[in-house]
Amino acid sequence: MKRLLRLYPAAWRERYEDELADLLTEFPASPSVLLDLIRGALIERSSARWRVTGSYPIPAGGQPMFEHPVHRHPTRLALLALLLVTPTLLFVVTSVLAYQLEVPGMEAVVDPLITNIAAMPWIDVILVTAPFVAAILAAIPLVGIGSGLADGERQLTLTLRARALNVFVLVTSVLLGGVLFLYLLTEFVLEAAR
């Protein structure tokens, strides 16, 4: 693993190589550590090239770090978003099974739910808005906004992170929200046509 430190730029190695080598002795070799080292080397190589050419506003020292609490706990937000969107997902899946695919016995499960939801319209609002709120919660840790000095001027930088669980919940929530939106739009158009 320590041989991978040669992938980093020479100026970076002069300053940080010993510290990172010490840190690597504390962690077992794993694919995630290997990928982190390679990713870090690519970022530092790109940052060094951009700082030399002045074509990209990255502050000295590399990419800005995420400091906000939501960026330190992306899994918690993804799980919260998943918990929030689960009732809507279950309702939509059972409705599709009962009415579109006509699975035997599913209507007996869905009909009482629809009757209860019709009696309490605020549940309908929660079921419809949950995917959009869940998508926002899942997306927050994926985007980082930082600021730093580049060429003597304060620059804002936008950084995107890929967290598998957050991306999964985000995509699921957006697709579910899209399905609900199209369903409501279709119902509205059909009702208007009557």
Side-chain angles (χ1 to χ4, degrees):
M1 293 296 242
K2 291 181 182 177
R3 284 187 233 140
L4 289 175
L5 297 180
R6 287 186 237 151
L7 295 174
Y8 286 82
W12 186 94
R13 286 195 317 266
E14 284 178 27
R15 184 168 180 187
Y16 301 111
E17 184 173 23
D18 293 335
E19 293 172 35
L20 188 55
D22 290 341
L23 190 62
L24 286 175
T25 60
E26 296 176 22
F27 290 99
S30 69
S32 66
V33 172
L34 174 73
L35 290 174
D36 282 346
L37 284 173
I38 293 171
R39 182 180 150 272
L42 291 173
I43 288 172
E44 287 303 320
R45 287 248 174 228
S46 298
S47 298
R49 181 174 44 93
W50 286 328
R51 277 193 299 273
V52 169
T53 63
S55 63
Y56 190 76
I58 293 181
Q63 296 285 344
M65 292 185 65
F66 295 108
E67 295 179 12
H68 195 275
V70 298
H71 294 108
R72 289 192 297 258
H73 306 290
T75 304
R76 288 182 188 171
L77 276 178
L79 291 174
L80 177 64
L82 190 58
L83 182 67
L84 184 65
V85 79
T86 297
T88 305
L89 183 61
L90 290 175
F91 181 76
V92 169
V93 168
T94 55
S95 295
V96 167
L97 290 173
Y99 300 118
Q100 275 69 36
L101 300 178
E102 298 177 354
V103 173
M106 288 304 294
E107 276 188 46
V109 173
V110 177
D111 285 342
L113 288 174
I114 292 175
T115 303
N116 289 332
I117 290 172
M120 296 178 276
W122 57 271
I123 292 178
D124 195 21
V125 171
I126 291 172
L127 288 175
V128 171
T129 58
F132 301 105
V133 174
I136 291 168
L137 286 175
I140 288 172
L142 300 177
V143 178
I145 299 174
S147 66
L149 292 176
D151 299 328
E153 293 182 23
R154 184 149 300 277
Q155 301 275 333
L156 286 177
T157 56
L158 178 68
T159 308
L160 299 177
R161 292 175 53 178
R163 303 274 311 178
L165 183 59
N166 291 74
V167 171
F168 171 76
V169 174
L170 174 64
V171 169
T172 302
S173 298
V174 167
L175 289 175
L176 185 59
V179 166
L180 282 174
F181 177 76
L182 289 174
Y183 173 76
L184 292 173
L185 184 65
T186 304
E187 286 293 315
F188 177 75
V189 169
L190 291 175
E191 189 66 33
R194 290 181 193 163

